[in-house]
Amino acid sequence: MSNKTIAKFLGFVIPALAVSFLLQTCAFVSSDTGRVPVPSRYSDPEIVGRIKSSDVVESSGIAASRCQSDVFWTHNDSGDKAFIYAFNRIGDHLGTWRIMNAENQDWEDIAAWKDRSGKCFIYIGEIGDNKLLRPEHIIYRVPEPLLATGASVPTSREPANINETEIIRYVYPDGDKNAETLMVHPGSGDIYVLTKSESGPSSVYRIKNTPTQSQIQTAEKVAELAVPAVPNGLLTGGDISPDGRNVVVCDYRQAYELDLPDGSMDFNEIWNQKPRAIDLGKRKVGEAICFGVDGTEIFATSEGPTPPIIVVRRLN
């Protein structure tokens, strides 16, 4: 290779690497002088506690209760029993519940939703499929357990039971998919599943919030989402804000937020917006993220024993 060829090669590769690095560390907007970093509208990440339950070793999803103050829900990745765990913002263990008539083959995310009557539900996504061998997927819906003041705290050895398990079954319209992101729209109740892709953008599917024991519905593909990272569709968790105006997703490294345009009445326009990167600090394996109950904070956890509870707060 000649010196001129080498110089031309380096002149291409070095700028390309620099652009790749910037895409992974900050969001951008267009300006008259080019593309410039946008200051984050969230505070620096802070570890406010750790999940103290020794049973939580692979926190793969997190959801903030819509009916109980300072209550969060999580679950382990594949291999655990059909348990969900409650904790507060500093990680104190608040209880373990077994979901009856359910199985944890590859649980990947959890979401909270309050219906129009004020009843709260928990959704658990049996949506993981790393080997693409499971064409049918399941979302479990259960009434959110109420924590009893002064009562003994149920543990994995003596868990409380959730008996009213509803099932939403679905298939994708375009072949088997692996997914780790589940969210429920606070108004419509529509369920969204975002795929985890190593070779392109994530696909966004909408699923009707209609539990049945036997009927299988076909998910509707509504969009594709590429975040400013490499790969750009390796999404591992997400949530919709309580007012339905924002979406947050994450990959192993950091988070990304999208805003619904002012005046828009169609939530699906949000998928066409440019995601902004949010620094979450160091996470061992980042697969869980959610908005706080008032939408001004974002919470994240990490896999591993006594995982940190990471919070970033809205600045403006």
Side-chain angles (χ1 to χ4, degrees):
M1 185 181 291
S2 68
N3 290 338
K4 182 180 292 185
T5 302
I6 293 173
K8 184 177 180 180
F9 175 77
L10 292 176
F12 169 79
V13 170
I14 292 175
L17 290 174
V19 169
S20 176
F21 173 77
L22 288 172
L23 284 174
Q24 294 184 67
T25 55
C26 59
F28 291 87
V29 295
S30 298
S31 71
D32 294 336
T33 58
R35 295 167 69 83
V36 296
V38 177
S40 174
R41 65 179 180 183
Y42 284 91
S43 65
D44 292 337
E46 177 185 359
I47 296 177
V48 296
R50 290 184 176 273
I51 298 178
K52 298 178 178 64
S53 171
S54 60
D55 294 315
V56 179
V57 294
E58 288 187 284
S59 177
S60 189
I62 182 174
S65 171
R66 301 298 192 260
C67 281
Q68 302 176 88
S69 177
D70 193 20
V71 174
F72 296 82
W73 298 94
T74 191
H75 58 85
N76 284 315
D77 207 329
S78 57
D80 195 11
K81 296 180 181 179
F83 289 157
I84 57 174
Y85 305 90
F87 61 97
N88 61 20
R89 66 184 293 130
I90 61 172
D92 295 328
H93 180 62
L94 303 180
T96 303
W97 280 261
R98 177 194 288 115
I99 299 177
M100 305 302 291
N101 303 312
E103 183 180 357
N104 181 353
Q105 294 186 51
D106 196 359
W107 288 8
E108 290 293 356
D109 206 0
I110 189 169
W113 182 62
K114 179 192 286 187
D115 70 11
R116 293 182 179 178
S117 72
K119 186 175 182 178
C120 281
F121 295 88
I122 300 294
Y123 294 72
I124 304 100
E126 177 66 86
I127 57 178
D129 189 9
N130 289 316
K131 296 182 179 180
L132 303 180
L133 298 175
R134 300 167 58 196
E136 180 184 325
H137 297 276
I138 289 174
I139 298 168
Y140 295 109
R141 185 175 91 163
V142 298
E144 180 179 335
L146 294 178
L147 279 61
T149 304
S152 60
V153 175
T155 66
S156 60
R157 291 186 177 182
E158 297 183 10
N161 291 335
I162 302 175
N163 296 306
E164 304 140 63
T165 306
E166 297 178 294
I167 297 176
I168 298 169
R169 304 178 186 272
Y170 75 93
V171 296
Y172 295 103
D174 47 357
D176 297 351
K177 308 289 180 184
N178 182 35
E180 296 190 5
T181 303
L182 170 75
M183 50 185 76
V184 181
H185 190 275
S188 67
D190 287 341
I191 300 168
Y192 289 88
V193 171
L194 281 63
T195 62
K196 180 183 182 183
S197 174
E198 298 180 1
S199 59
S202 169
S203 295
V204 181
Y205 294 89
R206 179 169 57 187
I207 299 163
K208 295 177 182 178
N209 197 342
T210 52
T212 62
Q213 293 300 320
S214 58
Q215 182 180 355
I216 302 174
Q217 61 174 291
T218 299
E220 175 191 5
K221 185 174 180 179
V222 296
E224 291 186 342
L225 176 60
V227 299
V230 180
N232 65 3
L234 199 72
L235 302 185
T236 60
D239 195 17
I240 301 173
S241 63
D243 63 2
R245 305 297 300 183
N246 303 89
V247 162
V248 66
V249 295
C250 70
D251 56 20
Y252 293 126
R253 296 169 56 90
Q254 56 188 0
Y256 311 90
E257 188 179 36
L258 299 91
D259 299 338
L260 191 64
D262 291 341
S264 174
M265 302 302 292
D266 181 2
F267 174 74
N268 286 311
E269 289 185 16
I270 202 167
W271 309 115
N272 300 323
Q273 310 310 308
K274 290 184 177 180
R276 295 183 311 279
I278 302 172
D279 178 22
L280 295 177
K282 294 182 179 180
R283 295 190 297 166
K284 183 177 181 180
V285 180
E287 293 195 357
I289 194 165
C290 74
F291 283 100
V293 70
D294 66 357
T296 65
E297 297 177 309
I298 292 174
F299 292 79
T301 65
S302 176
E303 292 193 355
T306 60
I309 302 169
I310 302 164
V311 177
V312 293
R313 298 176 177 84
R314 182 74 66 86
L315 298 175
N316 53 50

